[in-house]
Structure formats: C-alpha cells, structure tokens
Amino acid sequence: MEKTVVIACGAGLATSPMVRDKIEEVLSENNIRANIIQTTLNELEGYDDKADIFITTMKINSDYTTPVVHGSAFLTGINEETVIEQIVGILK
C-alpha cells in the first residue's frame, strides 16, 4: 500500500527539495512505497487526514491529526538517525 508523505518548508521551494532527496533514499532503503508531496507550511491543513506523515523543516505549533516529524536533521545532519527511525516507525 502506498503511503502519502507531505514535506513542508516555509516557502515550499528551498529546503524541501533537499529533504525530499533524503526521504526518497530512506523510503527506498526501507522498502516503503510513497507518494511525496512538497508544499508550504501554510498549506499543511489541507493535507491533514489525507497524508500518513508530515515532515517539516520548521517547528510548528498546530494540532494536526497527521503525525508531524521535524525534519531539519536532514539539513544539519544532527540526530538524523533518530528522525529516520521516527519516520520509518510511523510509515511501517
């Protein structure tokens, strides 16, 4: 079954493509099929209940029913393994 992964950054342009590359690699390594959508933080609400996970590059203070993982580790390299474990745990 294909999952839906939504990656969001402030403008949806700069950092989300870098995070997307890492996510595609993680999904491939873990045999997880997913449709990946890149968007802005302002548009996340429209994907709530339609996605399996939100991965954001900025901390957000919103009450979504979709699990949210802070993915800035993919930009900094700090705690990347922990974030990968969170993502795989949610999607498997």
Side-chain angles (χ1 to χ4, degrees):
M1 180 175 181
E2 189 169 84
K3 303 289 185 174
T4 300
V5 176
V6 177
I7 300 171
C9 68
L13 301 171
T15 55
S16 60
M18 294 169 24
V19 173
R20 181 186 182 123
D21 290 344
K22 286 285 203 173
I23 296 301
E24 286 175 343
E25 186 178 308
V26 167
L27 297 177
S28 176
E29 289 171 357
N30 288 279
N31 297 316
I32 299 170
R33 291 183 41 216
N35 175 34
I36 300 175
I37 299 167
Q38 289 175 228
T39 191
T40 65
L41 292 173
N42 292 338
E43 295 173 332
L44 274 183
E45 189 173 327
Y47 293 101
D48 203 14
D49 285 334
K50 298 177 183 103
D52 294 286
I53 188 172
F54 290 155
I55 301 170
T56 66
T57 57
M58 300 169 68
K59 289 195 182 281
I60 57 172
N61 294 326
S62 293
D63 295 322
Y64 295 111
T65 57
T66 303
V68 178
V69 173
H70 189 237
S72 65
F74 295 118
L75 304 173
T76 65
I78 299 169
N79 294 325
E80 193 171 306
E81 284 302 316
T82 302
V83 173
I84 289 170
E85 287 173 16
Q86 287 179 319
I87 293 168
V88 170
I90 290 167
L91 294 176
K92 281 224 169 178

